Amino acid sequence: MTSSSSAQSELYAALVGFDEARAVRVLEEQRERAGLQGLVGELVIPVMRQLGEGWARGKVTVAQEHLSTQLVRSYLDSLRRPPVDEGPQAWLACPPRELHDLPLLALGLLLWEQGWQIRFFGASTPLHDLLRGVRIARPELVVISGDEPRWLLRSEVPLGLIAAETTLALGGRAAQSVGARLPGTVLPPDVVMAAQELGACVLEARAG
């Protein structure tokens, strides 16, 4: 068993067992061993996906899933210190009614490490309101992400308007399903690969 798969098993057991201290210890050990990319790509995303699949099969309770999500969210958010206050801005949001924003938070953390200023709007963001903010603040990048294709499809109009104002990228499972039918660039399904692709834009944004 590789160290990553061992860490996945240990984190999963800690989360479903409501063992917060053990879960944080596993997260910390993975970050120290594999860095931020390894933490996100080799541990956090696979384990959260496993928990979601367990919930769908009735093997993970709502309480277990909620506590796990909040614990991991809190840990990831604590890593973004101090916030970047220079460089290009990336705005990250989920479309209305989309609640699965943890992968987007992980993406934001990876972009932050590359030098982006991150504005994280999170779940179920009214995109017409976001558009008004984009027209005022002029961020270099907007990423809209989610799991459910229908919520992304219902946002076609504001997505088109946002794409007319700045660079728009679409992420998550929803983008893999229907992103080709919408404005914006479809990101790779892997969060680390998506961050690397967007990271290449940071030099262009700074030059601009």
Side-chain angles (χ1 to χ4, degrees):
M1 180 178 286
T2 67
S3 55
S4 291
S5 60
S6 177
Q8 290 172 18
S9 298
E10 187 173 0
L11 179 60
Y12 182 88
L15 291 173
V16 298
F18 305 107
D19 190 340
E20 182 173 352
R22 181 184 174 194
V24 171
R25 184 174 67 251
V26 176
L27 291 164
E28 279 286 288
E29 290 173 353
Q30 177 75 1
R31 182 174 65 86
E32 292 173 2
R33 182 185 68 81
L36 187 57
Q37 286 191 5
L39 171 69
V40 170
E42 299 171 17
L43 183 60
V44 169
I45 297 300
V47 170
M48 297 311 295
R49 185 178 297 121
Q50 184 182 3
L51 284 163
E53 292 170 352
W55 173 82
R57 296 194 304 267
K59 294 184 177 181
V60 173
T61 68
V62 172
Q64 288 171 319
E65 192 273 336
H66 281 196
L67 182 66
S68 298
T69 299
Q70 294 308 315
L71 189 152
V72 172
R73 176 193 302 280
S74 177
Y75 178 80
L76 291 179
D77 198 47
S78 73
L79 300 180
R80 191 163 60 92
R81 299 291 184 272
V84 175
D85 59 3
E86 296 181 355
Q89 285 191 27
W91 286 21
L92 280 58
C94 294
R97 303 190 71 174
E98 175 61 66
L99 302 179
H100 296 89
D101 65 351
L102 189 59
L104 190 63
L105 177 62
L107 175 65
L109 191 60
L110 293 170
L111 293 176
W112 163 80
E113 188 180 48
Q114 296 175 6
W116 290 90
Q117 293 187 66
I118 301 301
R119 302 291 182 265
F120 183 74
F121 295 84
S124 193
T125 301
L127 296 189
H128 284 289
D129 287 351
L130 191 74
L131 172 64
R132 284 193 283 269
V134 166
R135 286 172 171 166
I136 295 170
R138 314 303 302 180
E140 287 80 1
L141 171 68
V142 172
V143 180
I144 306 298
S145 178
D147 276 3
E148 178 53 61
R150 56 181 167 164
W151 306 144
L152 203 57
L153 285 172
R154 291 181 183 182
S155 299
E156 181 176 3
V157 171
L159 288 175
L161 294 172
I162 291 171
E165 299 289 338
T166 188
T167 300
L168 173 67
L170 305 177
R173 295 180 183 179
Q176 298 304 309
S177 177
V178 299
R181 298 156 57 182
L182 296 168
T185 299
V186 177
L187 295 173
D190 181 270
V191 172
V192 173
M193 290 180 61
Q196 290 172 344
E197 183 173 300
L198 290 171
C201 299
V202 72
L203 295 178
E204 296 177 13
R206 282 174 171 165

